[in-house]
Every structure is written in structure tokens, then in C-alpha cells.
Amino acid sequence: MPAVTVENPLTLPRVSAPADAVARPVLTVTTAPSGFEGEGFPVRRAFAGINYRHLDPFIMMDQMGEVEYAPGEPKGTPWHPHRGFETVTYIVDGIFDHQDSNGGGGTITNGDTQWMTAGSGLLHIEAPPEQLVMSGGLFHGLQLWVNLPAKDKMMAPRYQDIRSGSVQLLTSPDGGALLRVIAGELDGHDGPGITHTPITMVHATLAPGAEVTLPWREDFNGLAYVMAGRGSVGAERRPVHLGQTAVFGAGGSLTVRADEKQDAHTPDLEVVLLGGRPIREPMAHYGPFVMNTKGELMQAFEDFQKGRLGTVPAVHGMSGEGPGA
């Protein structure tokens, strides 16, 4: 799992929660069901079964892979529309090409993030490059959907290309955890992602037996999703493993610990930590659109069908238009 690594974490700024911070309890731990997305790549639905009041402002998250493709097997998604929210695609291993009808796009690879604000609407496509399709190889990543408040839902679309080298790297006091701040801030250290809805997104790697207690904004919710390995969460050490999401309650800090023994394939515990300020507005979600009312959803589908969300660029090598998730 390359993402972004450093030889000696102790060279990085160290973060820890103040001793008087109230520890967030673990409210629930859920296990993601498996499924397929786009043209047939495997995903785990990280937030399935979690009440939206614990997720807000996050809508859904898929872990894509981890899968080792044979030559000819790599898959992506066809052209599809979005409106009313942001998609965040974080590639841990492998390569993905992106393009949208607003002129955004690029190639993201180990540790890169593509942050697309759909806003008023656009079409986009995600697919492995031709050379990866020919050769096969490892593919692993996440796609997160972040809601936009009503006042921003019809804003102009925007694309952020966040390279791995711009991610804010931090560590725990003993160097046992590598913390990659992709967006938001952690203990005063800012990640590169620019967000409309205040959130924090951190990819943490914990060595076997390592524990980290992080300060966490009290006005944010708190979620921890395990991408690989096994460990525990909260002061009560609730067990978690690959494909599970922990929901934290109120408080000023959250704790994650890696088990002493990990399997050979996954030497460390890999966790994505998410927090955001709840929007607390009505949500109408269907397929690729996330709005506030059913009427706005119907308008989004009408606008898509009438070509108002953009057109597929004729010059690109990828083709095939159709709605997707």
C-alpha cells in the first residue's frame, strides 16, 4: 500500500489530544457489504446500514478493490452525470483517468486525490488507462460523496487535482502512526483539499501495536473506516477489521489502535478517519443526484435528459454515455 510514506515518521510534526479532552465513545460498528460498480469493479459499501444522522455531511463511501487485475480485466465507469454534491476519489494503489464535461480531469495514481465539485451538474468518466488495461495490476482506492448545503448545490462545477506530495504528513508522539491529512485540518495542520462543507479526511497507517489519540473538533461527527488490517477503536477498544466502519459519539478526541499481530498481506492497520459539520437539511438522493427536495431531483433528471449537464467531449478516447453512481 504505497500511498504516501516516509522512512522515519519521527521527522514529522507530532499530534496528540490534550489530556483533558473528552474521549468519543464508539456508538456502533458496521460491516460493509460487497458489490460491484461501474463496468464491474468490486467495491465495499462502507456506510451501508448507518443512520444518516451519524453520516451527515457524508453521503456514501465505496472502497474500490483491493484487487489484482489480470491483463484485460481493469474496469471503470462509463460517462454519467452528477449534481448537488462533491465526489472525492482517493487512489491508494493503481492508476485512474478522470475527465468531465466541464474541462476538468487528469490521471491520479498512488496517493493522489481527485476532488470534483459537481455543483449545478456535469458529466464525468473514470477509467483505467489503456496501458493498465493491457498489463493488469493492483487497484485500490476510495470514493467518498460529500453533500453540499442548499446554498451551494447549484454552484459552478470545480475540479481539484490533489497530488500525493501536497498531502500534510503528521505522526503520533511515538512515531507509530503516519497520518495523511487530505482535507480539512488536524491539530492546526491543514490538508490541501478545499472543501465547501467543513470536513476533515485523514488516511492513517498504524504499525502493529501502535495507538493514537487525536484531537477532534466537537462540532464534527466522527467515523473510522478500516481499509486493511485489524485493530480497535475508542477508549473501550472495540474490535474492528477490514471493511468495518466505527461511528463515534460526541467528544473532543478519538482513539485508534492496531493489533499486535497483523496478517502477512497487510502488515499495518490502514484507517480512513472522517469528520464533518452536519448540514442538517432535508436530503433527496436518487442515483447520481443529491438534492434537497423531490422536485429538485426531478428537475435534475430532466436537465440531464435534455443535455443541460454538458456533453461528452468527442476528442477523448473513452466513450459510452449513461447514468451511474
Side-chain angles (χ1 to χ4, degrees), residues 23-30 54 222-224 232-240 245-250 253-256:
R24 286 177 174 248
V26 178
L27 301 181
T28 185
V29 173
T30 60
H54 298 312
L223 303 162
S232 59
V233 288
E236 60 270 48
R237 293 195 174 184
R238 183 84 171 264
V240 289
T245 300
V247 177
F248 290 91
S253 71
L254 54 81
T255 298
V256 179

Side-chain angles (χ1 to χ4, degrees), residues 9 21 36 77 120 147 194 196 201-202 226 250 269 274 290 318 323:
F36 293 92
T77 67
S120 60
N147 203 3
I194 300 170
H196 292 281
M201 180 179 182
V202 179
V226 181
L269 174 66
L274 296 169
V290 182
M318 308 178 211

Side-chain angles (χ1 to χ4, degrees), residues 36-318:
F36 293 92
E37 188 52 79
E39 297 168 335
F41 57 85
V43 298
R44 288 185 174 90
R45 308 287 191 192
F47 296 161
I50 300 175
N51 190 296
Y52 183 65
R53 73 176 186 275
H54 298 312
L55 298 176
D56 185 12
F58 307 109
I59 301 163
M60 58 149 276
M61 186 168 73
D62 283 346
Q63 180 179 11
M64 305 179 294
E66 182 176 359
V67 58
E68 183 75 42
Y69 283 122
E73 285 186 344
K75 299 174 177 67
T77 67
W79 282 97
H80 58 281
H82 286 306
R83 171 181 279 179
F85 64 103
E86 299 184 289
T87 67
V88 182
T89 306
Y90 174 52
I91 297 299
V92 181
D93 289 293
I95 308 173
F96 232 24
D97 282 342
H98 288 254
Q99 188 186 19
D100 67 51
S101 57
N102 195 51
T107 298
I108 52 175
T109 185
N110 305 338
D112 295 337
T113 302
Q114 183 258 2
W115 200 295
M116 188 182 76
T117 304
S120 60
L122 43 62
L123 307 178
H124 86 142
I125 187 172
E126 305 157 297
E130 186 176 352
Q131 65 267 27
L132 181 64
V133 176
M134 297 294 289
S135 66
L138 186 61
F139 180 73
H140 188 199
L142 292 172
Q143 184 169 95
L144 171 70
W145 288 14
V146 185
N147 203 3
L148 287 170
K151 66 181 181 64
D152 292 330
K153 281 195 177 294
M154 296 300 287
M155 68 177 292
R158 183 180 66 182
Y159 179 94
Q160 296 178 68
D161 188 14
I162 302 171
R163 293 298 168 186
S164 59
S166 67
V167 170
Q168 175 68 62
L169 300 179
L170 307 169
T171 191
S172 51
D174 64 359
L178 175 60
L179 308 167
R180 308 166 184 86
V181 185
I182 297 168
E185 66 88 26
L186 183 61
D187 200 25
H189 300 275
D190 295 320
I194 300 170
T195 70
H196 292 281
T197 304
I199 71 165
T200 294
M201 180 179 182
V202 179
H203 172 195
T205 299
L206 281 73
E211 180 177 289
V212 62
T213 298
L214 300 174
W216 210 252
R217 282 180 51 166
E218 294 192 12
D219 60 334
F220 279 18
N221 59 359
L223 303 162
Y225 176 73
V226 181
M227 288 196 294
R230 57 184 60 250
S232 59
V233 288
E236 60 270 48
R237 293 195 174 184
R238 183 84 171 264
V240 289
H241 59 72
L242 167 64
Q244 291 191 314
T245 300
V247 177
F248 290 91
S253 71
L254 54 81
T255 298
V256 179
R257 184 181 187 278
D259 283 357
E260 295 281 356
K261 291 185 178 179
Q262 302 288 336
D263 59 52
H265 176 66
T266 307
D268 302 309
L269 174 66
E270 304 284 351
V271 181
V272 172
L273 304 173
L274 296 169
R277 183 191 298 158
I279 296 174
R280 296 193 177 96
E281 293 177 349
M283 185 178 71
H285 171 205
Y286 190 84
F289 304 123
V290 182
M291 305 304 292
N292 293 104
T293 68
K294 184 178 178 181
E296 291 170 344
L297 271 184
M298 293 174 66
Q299 184 65 54
F301 275 102
E302 179 182 332
D303 289 347
F304 167 57
Q305 290 164 356
K306 293 188 175 180
R308 297 172 185 149
L309 301 191
T311 57
V312 176
V315 296
H316 201 277
M318 308 178 211

